[in-house]
């Protein structure tokens, strides 16, 4: 059997890319704008996993990648590496978040009240097939509330801490320039909590859900209860070189706190990410909660999930198997042939096992 490498070199590679681009069609500003408008939650996912908040670039990456999420995230991360870091924003407090949605599964009533906000949690999952037949799907208008919920809400965990129900982590006094950055530094184990939360913030949503689900279903040491879940906008406050603080704008943020009973108190798990992505935040907070007590070698052990929820690295490793492996595969075949030949020869030369006549 012969093994022949693909012929054509640079020309074949260039034509293969041209074929892909031709199938995608022309990329126009109008097309990018339509993706940005029509798929906001997909845009949020790409921004979160790329560690870069830019809705226009995320929409462009999706258009250029033909909707391939891993490719879009890779494009955005690659572009991010070309940009300078101008400043480190001030820490963001929960009470300053402009809140669109805030719920708790742990309490019926919480300080500030439950705010359902935008969600499909209580909706019937019925696909609007009549749209394919020419009908228009026009959402019903939202009825304004007589008493709108306050834009800024208190922290449920802070209220619990005041009532001696949960132990809050201490305030981190690390200087902004000394904060570890997983986009520039490798994660070392045991990882610091800053590294863990940063890694989970940009982890692949599907992988985080799978391993978070594993923690919920028995591999973890704690059953999570959603203490607080928020979809909000965070004001980015930076300091001018002259010392004046100003707002650089708002970014959409998701955050989740989950708790589990531990002795006579509650243990807290936390996660946050750019964009609105509830399932990822709940899963990531569960992994954070289980980090201390995860069984050795389990999928919820910190070293396992931090490595295996890194979407760009894991997808890159997976698809690299498409690249030429002719030499190593031929070596394996040679070893197999040699083993078979040796085994056949040994069988022919071995004494007969039939009983003597």
């Amino acid at each position: 059997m012969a093994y022949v490498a693909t012929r054509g070199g640079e020309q074949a590679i260039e034509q293969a890319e041209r074929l892909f681009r031709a199938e995608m069609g022309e990329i126009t500003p109008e097309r990018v704008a339509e993706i940005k408008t029509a798929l906001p939650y997909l845009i949020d996912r790409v921004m979160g996993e790329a560690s870069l908040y830019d809705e226009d670039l995320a929409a462009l990456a999706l258009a250029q990648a033909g909707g391939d999420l891993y490719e879009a995230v890779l494009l955005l991360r690659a572009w991010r590496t070309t940009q300078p870091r101008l400043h480190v924003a001030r820490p963001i407090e929960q009470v300053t978040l402009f809140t669109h949605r805030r719920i708790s599964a742990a309490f019926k009533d919480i300080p500030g009240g439950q705010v359902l906000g935008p969600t499909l949690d209580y909706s019937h999952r019925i696909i609007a097939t009549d749209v394919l037949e020419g009908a228009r799907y026009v959402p019903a208008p939202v009825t304004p509330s007589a008493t709108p919920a306050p834009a800024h809400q208190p922290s449920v965990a802070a209220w619990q801490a005041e009532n001696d129900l949960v132990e809050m982590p201490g305030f981190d006094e690390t200087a902004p320039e000394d904060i570890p950055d997983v986009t520039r530094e490798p994660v070392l184990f045991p990882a610091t909590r800053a590294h863990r939360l940063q890694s989970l913030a940009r982890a692949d949503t599907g992988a985080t859900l799978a391993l978070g689900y594993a923690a919920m279903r028995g591999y973890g040491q704690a059953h999570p209860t959603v203490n607080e879940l928020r979809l909000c906008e965070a004001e980015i406050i930076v300091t001018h070189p002259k010392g004046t603080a100003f707002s650089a704008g708002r970014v959409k943020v998701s955050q989740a706190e989950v708790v589990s009973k531990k002795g006579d108190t509650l243990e807290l798990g936390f996660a946050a990410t750019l964009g609105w992505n509830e399932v990822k935040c709940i899963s990531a907070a569960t992994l954070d909660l289980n980090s201390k007590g995860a069984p050795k070698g389990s999928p919820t052990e910190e070293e396992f999930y931090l490595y295996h929820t890194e979407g760009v690295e894991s997808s890159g490793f997976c698809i690299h198997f498409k690249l030429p492996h002719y030499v190593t595969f031929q070596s394996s075949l040679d070893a197999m042939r040699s083993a078979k030949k040796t085994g056949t020869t040994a069988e022919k030369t071995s004494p007969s096992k039939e009983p003597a006549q």
Side-chain angles (χ1 to χ4, degrees):
M1 183 180 292
Y3 293 86
V4 182
T6 303
R7 300 185 182 278
E10 287 187 25
Q11 184 180 4
I13 293 172
E14 181 182 353
Q15 294 302 312
E17 182 177 350
R18 286 188 180 186
L19 182 60
F20 178 88
R21 302 295 178 201
E23 291 184 350
M24 291 303 101
E26 184 181 3
I27 300 175
T28 63
E30 292 75 22
R31 185 175 181 180
V32 172
E34 186 176 356
I35 291 174
K36 176 183 171 182
T37 303
L39 304 171
Y41 284 88
L42 184 60
I43 297 294
D44 285 356
R45 175 172 172 178
V46 172
M47 292 191 302
E49 295 178 15
S51 309
L52 179 68
Y53 194 93
D54 191 309
E55 295 175 334
D56 293 325
L57 285 176
L60 175 59
L62 281 167
Q64 190 172 328
D68 185 324
L69 287 180
Y70 296 113
E71 188 70 23
V73 170
L74 178 56
L75 281 169
L76 209 52
R77 283 195 187 181
W79 189 88
R80 181 186 187 277
T81 62
T82 67
Q83 303 306 300
R85 170 167 291 180
L86 300 177
H87 212 287
V88 176
R90 290 185 178 182
I92 297 170
E93 300 289 340
Q94 278 187 319
V95 293
T96 66
L97 295 171
F98 188 93
T99 303
H100 292 259
R101 169 168 160 81
R102 172 181 178 258
I103 61 170
S104 172
F107 301 94
K108 180 179 180 180
D109 296 312
I110 53 177
Q114 307 263 14
V115 182
L116 294 188
T119 183
L120 294 175
D121 284 352
Y122 319 102
S123 306
H124 295 295
R125 271 59 173 188
I126 302 174
I127 191 166
T129 53
D130 53 344
V131 172
L132 301 179
E133 300 170 1
R136 294 178 63 85
Y137 184 81
V138 181
V142 177
T143 303
S145 172
T147 54
H152 304 285
Q153 299 281 1
S155 165
V156 172
W159 170 73
Q160 289 171 317
E162 291 174 1
N163 290 273
D164 200 27
L165 295 174
V166 67
E167 184 177 349
M168 296 286 282
F171 184 76
D172 191 348
E173 300 289 350
T174 306
E177 61 273 12
D178 295 328
I179 297 173
D181 183 355
V182 295
T183 68
R184 302 181 180 205
E185 307 167 16
V187 178
L188 303 178
F189 296 98
T192 64
R193 193 155 189 259
H195 268 151
R196 179 163 72 246
L197 294 183
Q198 285 181 51
S199 296
L200 288 171
R202 73 185 209 142
D204 176 69
T205 298
T208 305
L209 171 60
L211 296 182
Y213 182 61
M216 298 168 192
R217 296 286 291 180
Y219 282 98
Q221 297 297 302
H223 183 78
T225 299
V226 174
N227 199 46
E228 181 178 350
L229 173 70
R230 289 196 194 207
L231 300 182
C232 46
E233 294 180 48
E235 195 92 26
I236 305 302
I237 305 297
V238 295
T239 305
H240 192 273
K242 292 184 178 181
T244 306
F246 66 96
S247 171
R250 289 178 181 169
V251 297
K252 287 192 292 184
V253 175
S254 308
Q255 69 166 62
E257 293 175 351
V258 299
V259 292
S260 181
K261 184 177 180 298
K262 184 179 181 182
D264 59 354
T265 187
L266 294 172
E267 193 170 18
L268 188 68
F270 176 81
T273 188
L274 294 175
W276 290 356
N277 191 337
E278 296 183 11
V279 71
K280 175 180 173 179
C281 276
I282 295 172
S283 303
T286 302
L287 291 172
D288 178 53
L289 176 67
N290 280 272
S291 290
K292 295 179 182 178
K296 188 70 175 176
S298 80
T300 59
E301 186 182 8
E302 181 180 77
E303 187 168 346
F304 186 93
Y305 73 69
L306 288 187
Y307 273 139
H308 295 89
T309 56
E310 173 42 60
V312 169
E313 184 174 340
S314 56
S315 64
F317 188 83
C318 179
I319 64 177
H320 102 278
F321 288 108
K322 298 186 294 184
L323 300 176
H325 285 71
Y326 309 119
V327 175
T328 53
F329 187 63
Q330 184 65 55
S331 176
S332 297
L333 291 179
D334 289 344
M336 288 169 55
R337 293 189 184 106
S338 177
K340 287 184 177 181
K341 184 177 180 181
T342 303
T344 302
T345 303
E347 184 178 337
K348 287 183 178 179
T349 56
S350 60
S352 174
K353 296 182 181 180
E354 294 181 358
Q357 299 294 327

